[in-house]
Amino acid sequence: MTTAAQRAADPFWFPWRFDEAADGFQLRHLTRQDHARATFLTEEYLGTGPVEFVPRARVPAVPQAPIHFIFHSAFCLSSVLVRAFDLPGAAMGLKEPMVLNDLAGWHLRGATGPQLAQAMESSLTLLARPFRSGETIVVKPSNIANALIAGMLQLRPQARALLLHAPLRVYLGSIARKGLDGRLWVRDLLVKQLNQGLHEFGFAPQDYLTQTDLQVAAMGWLAQQRLFGVIADRLGNRVRTLDSDAVTAQPVEVMAALGALFGVSLDPAAVAAGPAFTRHSKHGTAFDAAARESERAAEAAHADEIEKVAIWAETVAQAQGIPLTLPNPLIR
């Protein structure tokens, strides 16, 4: 029978959740195949399973792989890129670990800086265990963890990051075609971002109640765009930025540049021709640039609203000094 220390040293015992009350981690055994079949590392896609608890104080010093990040503003093909790093022997991609969501939630509930830093340090230690010798770990957190980007990169000064976003109109179209689910999602994101202090636009809280759902969506986009711009300016060559249209228009160039950024040896053309780019990340069906354009055709009914909100958001961005085009592009 394995001990807690042995499980904490084994990368197949994944840091499933962080329990702030008990100050420790629930570990769940996941094979590489489990990772591959899950859209996200959540119960929705992996179901329930037995977990083992390890106190944070007993997380041992273990071998660490190089760790890098794909941060994103949602609905921007981030799942495509992290899946592209499922390259046995070279890299392993981790898709929105809930342990980082737990830390983001704790942050929202008032965790102090030292508390959060200690828990984040142990979380990154567990996430960076190599699945195979010589592999690099690429983590794609949920966008709700974006407020923690600076802390993660400070704790891992050798880590590099991609800041990925959808162009404004593409983002608004994604929300519109998702119907009620998309509109509820952006309002939930707004509440979290307000509590994270990411909405310094001069609006009073009641002003958001008068905004349409797509205006709220645009405000969330602007908050993330401002954050990404600040991080890119501050960290320079450690981070690169990319918009999602380039992922479908230039997949080979994107993968070549990402491989170089993360120090992963890969065949860009082979990866771009593989399942990460040709199968839908959520449904497993065939998916390519033409299929993506077909999805966008569903946005036609919302075209007038999307355009009006986009123009309004661009005016807010200009007044607030928020860059619509981010610095440090991945592809120059």
Side-chain angles (χ1 to χ4, degrees):
M1 184 174 179
T2 58
T3 66
Q6 288 172 325
R7 288 190 290 270
D10 182 350
F12 291 100
W13 279 98
F14 191 72
W16 184 246
R17 304 300 298 261
F18 177 71
D19 184 337
E20 66 196 65
D23 193 17
F25 297 91
Q26 294 176 9
L27 305 181
R28 180 172 170 183
H29 195 272
L30 298 177
T31 66
R32 195 156 195 152
Q33 290 71 32
D34 291 330
H35 282 270
R37 68 183 173 86
T39 300
F40 303 122
L41 298 173
T42 66
E43 287 184 355
E44 179 181 358
Y45 294 97
L46 287 167
T48 58
V51 297
E52 298 285 348
F53 182 78
V54 60
R56 182 185 57 78
R58 292 183 62 188
V59 173
V62 292
Q64 298 282 279
I67 186 171
H68 304 292
F69 299 93
I70 297 173
F71 299 112
H72 62 98
S73 58
F75 311 123
C76 54
L77 301 180
S78 58
S79 293
V80 170
L81 295 185
V82 73
R83 288 171 66 224
F85 282 97
D86 183 6
L87 301 169
M92 181 63 178
L94 304 179
K95 296 167 283 190
E96 303 202 3
M98 287 192 295
V99 68
L100 299 179
N101 290 18
D102 292 336
L103 296 182
W106 195 24
H107 178 232
L108 284 169
R109 292 188 295 275
T112 66
Q115 285 177 316
L116 201 59
Q118 291 167 2
M120 180 66 74
E121 171 62 36
S122 296
S123 298
L124 295 178
T125 293
L126 292 170
L127 290 171
R129 296 166 299 174
F131 284 70
R132 287 190 187 178
S133 177
E135 286 189 346
T136 292
I137 301 296
V138 178
V139 182
K140 183 195 83 150
S142 166
N143 74 311
I144 195 56
N146 283 349
L148 305 180
I149 291 175
M152 290 188 223
L153 294 180
Q154 184 176 4
L155 287 170
R156 291 295 180 271
Q158 302 305 313
R160 296 186 177 185
L162 177 71
L163 307 178
L164 178 67
H165 71 286
L168 175 59
R169 286 166 177 78
V170 173
Y171 182 84
L172 294 175
S174 295
I175 301 302
R177 73 168 183 266
K178 287 175 173 57
L180 181 61
D181 287 344
R183 293 169 187 267
L184 289 173
W185 183 86
V186 297
R187 289 195 173 274
D188 180 66
L189 179 65
L190 169 68
V191 171
K192 292 182 172 70
Q193 288 180 332
L194 285 169
N195 289 332
Q196 290 169 333
L198 297 180
H199 276 253
E200 298 177 352
F201 300 115
F203 290 97
Q206 61 266 27
D207 293 332
Y208 293 101
L209 296 176
T210 68
Q211 294 177 358
T212 69
D213 293 330
L214 286 196
Q215 282 181 296
V216 168
M219 294 304 294
W221 186 91
L222 288 171
Q224 295 181 115
Q225 193 80 351
R226 168 183 274 170
L227 177 64
F228 284 1
V230 169
I231 290 169
D233 280 337
R234 183 182 302 163
L235 296 182
N237 290 334
R238 286 188 64 193
V239 302
R240 290 286 185 268
T241 63
L242 184 70
D243 79 61
S244 59
D245 280 352
V247 177
T248 49
Q250 299 173 270
V252 175
E253 293 84 351
V254 165
M255 287 311 303
L258 264 186
L261 179 67
F262 294 157
V264 175
S265 178
L266 52 81
D267 181 338
V271 173
F277 281 86
T278 59
R279 310 299 297 182
H280 198 290
S281 62
K282 295 181 177 62
H283 312 306
T285 54
F287 193 73
D288 55 17
R292 184 162 173 79
E293 287 306 312
S294 178
E295 272 194 349
R296 290 184 181 177
E299 301 163 14
H302 308 281
D304 181 64
E305 183 185 8
I306 289 169
E307 186 59 25
K308 287 175 179 175
V309 171
I311 292 170
W312 172 82
E314 288 167 351
T315 302
V316 175
Q318 183 177 12
Q320 294 291 323
I322 299 170
L324 296 176
T325 301
L326 292 172
N328 301 354
L330 180 70
I331 300 175
R332 300 183 184 276

